[in-house]
Amino acid sequence: MTDLEQRRREELAAALARVRGRITTACAAAGRDPAEVRLLPVTKTFPARDVALLVDLGLFDTAEARDAEAAAKVAEVIELRPAAAVRWHMVGRVQRNKCPSVARWAAHVQSVDSPRLVEALQRAVRSAREAGRRQGTLGVLIQASLDGDPARGGCTLTELEALADRVAAASQLRLEGVMGVAPLGIDPGDAFAQLAVAAQRLRRSYPGAVEMSAGMSGDLEQAITHGSTCVRVGTALLGGRPLTSR
Ligand SMILES: *Cc1c(COP(=O)(O)O)cnc(C)c1O
């Protein structure tokens, strides 16, 4: 390992300890067991080398937001850490024409928000499996829009149940829960409280859909207070991104 890599590894280890500390503190305040909250690194804009270093630190799950970037990175990480079984999660908007590619690298898609996307993923996963490019079904979280503006991704809370029915009926998809991003300008606690209601309602219909993916670098504490089972952390772990990449 080069000096530069060694330094980056130490930087990531220190950031990881800080983020884990925040999760532990937030869980203690909420009376929750930290084992209920998974830390999902979001490595968009960061190089495959960083994903490899996170693997070395014991993080085998990682999330990406754009198909083209992710597909290339997945291949690089396989070269860097051939023995590591990294699970890749898609958390960004998925265009339907990208589904065949996403079906080849993603173990889970957290950003499913329309019936047409459900159909496209179902078809893409089936084709990928038939072609031997994928093993197993695709885990799906339904992204809910928490500001009533689905233009920025996510279905409305009223559409969520019907969309869940479609995912549950799709043989190649596994309904795992809900995901939400707190909109700018709204108290994240209020946004996550809404998402928690939707998550609980979904669990009554589908007891296996236990995930509530909520909370990022700036608001993971509020998300944990409201029951998040998965915090998606980019900048607090990896450092700042260029602003345009959001
Ligand atoms: C980028 C991104 C994150 C991580 O954001 P940070 O503020 O850097 O922690 C989480 N979720 C989604 C959907 C993202 O696109």
Side-chain angles (χ1 to χ4, degrees):
M1 198 174 274
T2 64
D3 282 358
L4 206 66
E5 254 185 326
Q6 186 59 37
R7 214 173 318 139
R8 181 60 170 156
R9 185 190 150 97
E10 281 159 19
E11 207 170 80
L12 290 175
L16 176 59
R18 283 194 300 274
V19 171
R20 285 215 199 283
R22 287 176 61 188
I23 293 172
T24 305
T25 302
C27 283
R32 300 186 57 199
D33 177 354
E36 293 170 14
V37 182
R38 286 182 304 123
L39 169 60
L40 179 61
V42 182
T43 49
K44 65 186 181 201
T45 78
F46 291 94
R49 288 188 311 281
D50 280 349
V51 180
L53 291 172
L54 291 174
V55 165
D56 297 344
L57 293 168
L59 293 167
F60 290 92
D61 287 88
T62 192
E64 288 285 327
R66 281 203 305 262
D67 169 65
E69 179 186 345
K73 209 177 289 181
V74 169
E76 285 180 73
V77 171
I78 290 171
E79 296 220 333
L80 290 168
R81 296 292 183 276
V86 181
R87 282 177 301 267
W88 295 85
H89 303 245
M90 177 58 159
V91 298
R93 300 205 81 179
V94 183
Q95 290 170 300
R96 279 178 298 137
N97 63 349
K98 300 292 168 53
C99 287
S101 172
V102 171
R104 291 196 286 267
W105 61 261
H108 308 261
V109 175
Q110 295 205 348
S111 40
V112 172
D113 61 0
S114 76
R116 295 168 80 191
L117 183 55
V118 172
E119 301 313 320
L121 285 171
Q122 162 77 2
R123 274 197 305 276
V125 171
R126 176 181 288 138
S127 301
R129 292 178 78 182
E130 282 170 3
R133 303 287 302 264
R134 172 187 190 86
Q135 285 180 356
T137 53
L138 178 74
V140 163
L141 276 68
I142 297 179
Q143 182 179 354
S145 164
L146 302 177
D147 60 356
D149 178 12
R152 280 190 281 156
C155 67
T156 65
L157 291 169
T158 42
E159 290 166 335
L160 198 143
E161 198 81 6
L163 199 51
D165 292 341
R166 283 182 183 257
V167 174
S171 59
Q172 306 295 319
L173 311 179
R174 291 189 317 279
L175 179 65
E176 296 184 322
V178 295
M179 185 270 260
V181 179
L184 293 173
I186 293 182
D187 174 5
D190 291 346
F192 296 141
Q194 281 182 46
L195 187 66
V197 171
Q200 277 155 19
R201 200 180 302 138
L202 190 67
R203 277 175 209 154
R204 278 199 291 276
S205 308
Y206 297 103
V210 296
E211 299 290 341
M212 172 176 157
S213 173
M216 320 198 314
S217 294
D219 55 21
L220 66 88
E221 284 83 0
Q222 289 99 322
I224 288 171
T225 301
H226 290 281
S228 172
T229 62
C230 173
V231 292
R232 309 177 308 272
V233 180
T235 51
L237 206 50
L238 292 131
R241 291 184 297 272
L243 279 176
T244 50
S245 66
R246 276 298 289 268

mmCIF file of all heavy atoms in Angstrom, residues 42 44 65 91-92 179 181 215-218 232-236 241 246, ligand 1:
data_model
loop_
_atom_site.group_PDB
_atom_site.id
_atom_site.type_symbol
_atom_site.label_atom_id
_atom_site.label_comp_id
_atom_site.label_asym_id
_atom_site.label_seq_id
_atom_site.Cartn_x
_atom_site.Cartn_y
_atom_site.Cartn_z
ATOM 1 N N VAL A 42 -22.311 5.799 0.831
ATOM 2 C CA VAL A 42 -22.688 6.240 -0.523
ATOM 3 C C VAL A 42 -21.415 6.757 -1.186
ATOM 4 O O VAL A 42 -20.891 7.802 -0.810
ATOM 5 C CB VAL A 42 -23.773 7.331 -0.480
ATOM 6 C CG1 VAL A 42 -24.173 7.735 -1.898
ATOM 7 C CG2 VAL A 42 -25.004 6.837 0.293
ATOM 8 N N LYS A 44 -20.782 7.532 -4.413
ATOM 9 C CA LYS A 44 -20.864 8.267 -5.693
ATOM 10 C C LYS A 44 -19.822 9.381 -5.724
ATOM 11 O O LYS A 44 -19.593 10.040 -4.703
ATOM 12 C CB LYS A 44 -22.263 8.858 -5.871
ATOM 13 C CG LYS A 44 -22.612 9.918 -4.844
ATOM 14 C CD LYS A 44 -24.055 10.373 -4.974
ATOM 15 C CE LYS A 44 -24.342 11.441 -3.936
ATOM 16 N NZ LYS A 44 -25.763 11.583 -3.646
ATOM 17 N N ALA A 65 -25.412 6.318 -7.082
ATOM 18 C CA ALA A 65 -26.604 7.053 -7.510
ATOM 19 C C ALA A 65 -26.758 7.133 -9.022
ATOM 20 O O ALA A 65 -27.801 7.575 -9.499
ATOM 21 C CB ALA A 65 -26.592 8.465 -6.923
ATOM 22 N N VAL A 91 -29.278 3.992 -5.257
ATOM 23 C CA VAL A 91 -30.131 4.911 -4.482
ATOM 24 C C VAL A 91 -30.560 6.129 -5.296
ATOM 25 O O VAL A 91 -31.294 6.973 -4.804
ATOM 26 C CB VAL A 91 -29.451 5.364 -3.159
ATOM 27 C CG1 VAL A 91 -29.198 4.174 -2.246
ATOM 28 C CG2 VAL A 91 -28.167 6.140 -3.419
ATOM 29 N N GLY A 92 -30.092 6.227 -6.552
ATOM 30 C CA GLY A 92 -30.451 7.381 -7.380
ATOM 31 C C GLY A 92 -31.570 7.048 -8.351
ATOM 32 O O GLY A 92 -32.007 5.899 -8.452
ATOM 33 N N MET A 179 -37.898 4.021 1.242
ATOM 34 C CA MET A 179 -36.756 4.937 1.336
ATOM 35 C C MET A 179 -37.265 6.356 1.183
ATOM 36 O O MET A 179 -38.230 6.586 0.461
ATOM 37 C CB MET A 179 -35.743 4.623 0.234
ATOM 38 C CG MET A 179 -34.455 5.433 0.294
ATOM 39 S SD MET A 179 -34.498 6.979 -0.625
ATOM 40 C CE MET A 179 -33.633 6.486 -2.118
ATOM 41 N N VAL A 181 -35.855 10.758 1.264
ATOM 42 C CA VAL A 181 -34.857 11.815 1.422
ATOM 43 C C VAL A 181 -35.597 13.024 1.995
ATOM 44 O O VAL A 181 -36.616 13.433 1.442
ATOM 45 C CB VAL A 181 -34.234 12.195 0.058
ATOM 46 C CG1 VAL A 181 -33.220 13.325 0.224
ATOM 47 C CG2 VAL A 181 -33.594 10.981 -0.602
ATOM 48 N N GLY A 215 -32.139 9.030 6.386
ATOM 49 C CA GLY A 215 -31.032 9.671 7.083
ATOM 50 C C GLY A 215 -29.781 9.665 6.233
ATOM 51 O O GLY A 215 -29.433 8.650 5.624
ATOM 52 N N MET A 216 -29.128 10.835 6.158
ATOM 53 C CA MET A 216 -27.893 10.998 5.422
ATOM 54 C C MET A 216 -26.896 11.682 6.374
ATOM 55 O O MET A 216 -27.136 11.735 7.574
ATOM 56 C CB MET A 216 -28.129 11.816 4.153
ATOM 57 C CG MET A 216 -29.437 11.438 3.463
ATOM 58 S SD MET A 216 -29.611 11.924 1.725
ATOM 59 C CE MET A 216 -29.075 13.602 1.680
ATOM 60 N N SER A 217 -25.812 12.202 5.824
ATOM 61 C CA SER A 217 -24.786 12.793 6.695
ATOM 62 C C SER A 217 -25.346 13.860 7.636
ATOM 63 O O SER A 217 -24.958 13.935 8.798
ATOM 64 C CB SER A 217 -23.684 13.427 5.845
ATOM 65 O OG SER A 217 -22.993 12.426 5.134
ATOM 66 N N GLY A 218 -26.261 14.683 7.126
ATOM 67 C CA GLY A 218 -26.722 15.829 7.905
ATOM 68 C C GLY A 218 -27.890 15.554 8.829
ATOM 69 O O GLY A 218 -28.192 16.388 9.699
ATOM 70 N N ARG A 232 -27.883 6.284 4.953
ATOM 71 C CA ARG A 232 -27.062 6.347 3.728
ATOM 72 C C ARG A 232 -26.111 7.528 3.867
ATOM 73 O O ARG A 232 -26.519 8.671 3.814
ATOM 74 C CB ARG A 232 -27.963 6.546 2.507
ATOM 75 C CG ARG A 232 -29.135 5.552 2.406
ATOM 76 C CD ARG A 232 -30.014 5.867 1.213
ATOM 77 N NE ARG A 232 -30.442 7.255 1.188
ATOM 78 C CZ ARG A 232 -31.533 7.719 1.783
ATOM 79 N NH1 ARG A 232 -32.345 6.898 2.421
ATOM 80 N NH2 ARG A 232 -31.832 9.000 1.732
ATOM 81 N N VAL A 233 -24.828 7.218 4.054
ATOM 82 C CA VAL A 233 -23.899 8.285 4.422
ATOM 83 C C VAL A 233 -22.797 8.447 3.384
ATOM 84 O O VAL A 233 -22.036 7.514 3.116
ATOM 85 C CB VAL A 233 -23.294 8.007 5.818
ATOM 86 C CG1 VAL A 233 -22.330 9.113 6.199
ATOM 87 C CG2 VAL A 233 -24.403 7.884 6.860
ATOM 88 N N GLY A 234 -22.732 9.640 2.812
ATOM 89 C CA GLY A 234 -21.693 9.967 1.845
ATOM 90 C C GLY A 234 -20.637 10.861 2.461
ATOM 91 O O GLY A 234 -19.583 10.402 2.918
ATOM 92 N N THR A 235 -20.909 12.161 2.488
ATOM 93 C CA THR A 235 -19.879 13.141 2.856
ATOM 94 C C THR A 235 -19.287 12.925 4.254
ATOM 95 O O THR A 235 -18.088 13.136 4.432
ATOM 96 C CB THR A 235 -20.432 14.569 2.749
ATOM 97 O OG1 THR A 235 -21.653 14.650 3.454
ATOM 98 C CG2 THR A 235 -20.676 14.952 1.306
ATOM 99 N N ALA A 236 -20.074 12.526 5.224
ATOM 100 C CA ALA A 236 -19.536 12.372 6.581
ATOM 101 C C ALA A 236 -18.506 11.244 6.638
ATOM 102 O O ALA A 236 -17.664 11.194 7.538
ATOM 103 C CB ALA A 236 -20.660 12.111 7.590
ATOM 104 N N ARG A 241 -18.134 16.366 -1.769
ATOM 105 C CA ARG A 241 -18.253 16.118 -3.215
ATOM 106 C C ARG A 241 -18.373 17.461 -3.912
ATOM 107 O O ARG A 241 -18.859 18.413 -3.320
ATOM 108 C CB ARG A 241 -19.552 15.355 -3.530
ATOM 109 C CG ARG A 241 -19.621 13.945 -3.070
ATOM 110 C CD ARG A 241 -20.923 13.307 -3.555
ATOM 111 N NE ARG A 241 -22.112 13.941 -3.023
ATOM 112 C CZ ARG A 241 -22.691 13.616 -1.881
ATOM 113 N NH1 ARG A 241 -22.201 12.650 -1.149
ATOM 114 N NH2 ARG A 241 -23.771 14.233 -1.481
ATOM 115 N N ARG A 246 -24.752 16.379 -6.692
ATOM 116 C CA ARG A 246 -25.928 16.008 -5.921
ATOM 117 C C ARG A 246 -27.082 15.658 -6.827
ATOM 118 O O ARG A 246 -28.016 15.010 -6.496
ATOM 119 C CB ARG A 246 -26.368 17.139 -4.986
ATOM 120 C CG ARG A 246 -25.612 17.160 -3.672
ATOM 121 C CD ARG A 246 -25.819 15.916 -2.849
ATOM 122 N NE ARG A 246 -27.175 15.847 -2.276
ATOM 123 C CZ ARG A 246 -27.491 16.315 -1.095
ATOM 124 N NH1 ARG A 246 -26.593 16.893 -0.339
ATOM 125 N NH2 ARG A 246 -28.721 16.201 -0.640
HETATM 126 C C1 LIG B 1 -25.765 11.228 -2.157
HETATM 127 C C2 LIG B 1 -26.879 10.557 -1.472
HETATM 128 C C3 LIG B 1 -26.798 10.253 -0.104
HETATM 129 C C4 LIG B 1 -25.622 10.635 0.773
HETATM 130 O O1 LIG B 1 -25.651 12.009 1.034
HETATM 131 P P1 LIG B 1 -24.651 12.690 2.091
HETATM 132 O O2 LIG B 1 -25.344 13.942 2.453
HETATM 133 O O3 LIG B 1 -23.373 12.923 1.363
HETATM 134 O O4 LIG B 1 -24.479 11.777 3.217
HETATM 135 C C5 LIG B 1 -27.870 9.576 0.460
HETATM 136 N N1 LIG B 1 -28.946 9.214 -0.259
HETATM 137 C C6 LIG B 1 -29.062 9.486 -1.569
HETATM 138 C C7 LIG B 1 -30.288 9.060 -2.290
HETATM 139 C C8 LIG B 1 -28.038 10.179 -2.214
HETATM 140 O O5 LIG B 1 -28.150 10.457 -3.510
#
